[in-house]
Amino acid sequence: MNSAISFFYFLSFLTVLSAVMVVVSRNPIHSVLYLILTFFTLSGHYILLNAQFLAAVNIIVYAGAIMVLFLFVIMFLNMKQDNDESKTNLTKIAATIVGGTVFVILFGAYRKSVIPGFDPQQFDSQIGMIENLGHLLFRDYLLPFELVSILLLVAMVGAVMLGKREIGERHF
């Protein structure tokens, strides 16, 4: 078996295992750490797909910044261990029905999917490179890119205004 294929299967197994552990883990800190491991294994899949830029952005943005934010929020909230007795049977039954429905939908989508074979004549080694992504982003999607930057700027200004209220000022 090819080493890339065996590495793909190893990464896939580790990704699914860590994603399941995110959901199953009772401690929120452990869930966040498993989610970080999931993001790293997904970055490994991006590298296998020759999308090095997406792998780096995934690690920097998701595994770095957002997971640190999640950890700070969880530690700031000081969440106590909740016991299973507080959950009603109706909640458990509803969760089982929703989980089973999602499983059936995903299994049906998997059965209907068609995986194309590999064609070496049509392989383009530059498909996931930064230059092609930049051309696509700044040529075809320039207006949405600029609108998102303005939206983020407005959100930052709004957060600063809400955070810097003086005592006695009215709320927005």
Side-chain angles (χ1 to χ4, degrees):
M1 190 184 310
N2 192 357
S3 65
I5 294 173
S6 61
F7 188 63
F8 169 77
Y9 284 128
F10 172 72
L11 274 178
S12 299
F13 172 75
L14 198 59
T15 303
V16 170
L17 179 69
S18 61
V20 166
M21 290 303 294
V22 168
V23 177
V24 173
S25 179
R26 293 187 180 267
N27 189 344
I29 303 293
H30 292 159
S31 290
V32 169
L33 293 175
Y34 284 124
L35 191 57
I36 291 172
L37 178 63
T38 304
F39 285 139
F40 274 100
T41 55
L42 287 176
S43 294
H45 285 286
Y46 285 141
I47 290 173
L48 285 176
L49 290 171
N50 201 21
Q52 293 84 4
F53 178 70
L54 287 178
V57 167
N58 187 32
I59 289 173
I60 291 169
V61 172
Y62 289 109
I66 292 177
M67 287 300 108
V68 168
L69 179 69
F70 279 4
L71 277 174
F72 280 142
V73 167
I74 288 171
M75 289 177 183
F76 181 69
L77 291 177
N78 195 13
M79 299 176 72
K80 302 278 190 264
Q81 285 286 84
D82 60 336
N83 50 4
D84 281 338
E85 289 82 27
S86 66
K87 297 179 181 143
T88 63
N89 285 337
L90 180 65
T91 307
K92 292 178 184 177
I93 291 170
T96 304
I97 290 171
V98 168
T101 304
V102 168
F103 177 74
V104 167
I105 290 171
L106 289 176
F107 185 72
Y110 172 72
R111 279 191 29 182
K112 297 289 183 183
S113 64
V114 177
I115 301 172
F118 175 68
D119 187 13
Q121 277 70 29
Q122 294 181 349
F123 179 72
D124 184 13
S125 65
Q126 299 298 313
I127 196 82
M129 294 296 152
I130 299 171
E131 182 179 357
N132 293 335
L133 182 64
H135 285 299
L136 183 69
L137 186 64
F138 293 121
R139 184 177 12 139
D140 299 338
Y141 296 104
L142 182 62
L143 181 64
F145 181 78
E146 293 298 327
L147 290 175
V148 166
S149 66
I150 291 170
L151 178 70
L152 289 175
L153 178 66
V154 168
M156 279 187 350
V157 169
V160 168
M161 289 202 48
L162 287 174
K164 295 198 72 120
R165 279 194 307 243
E166 296 293 326
I167 297 175
E169 277 188 22
R170 60 172 219 161
H171 300 282
F172 293 106

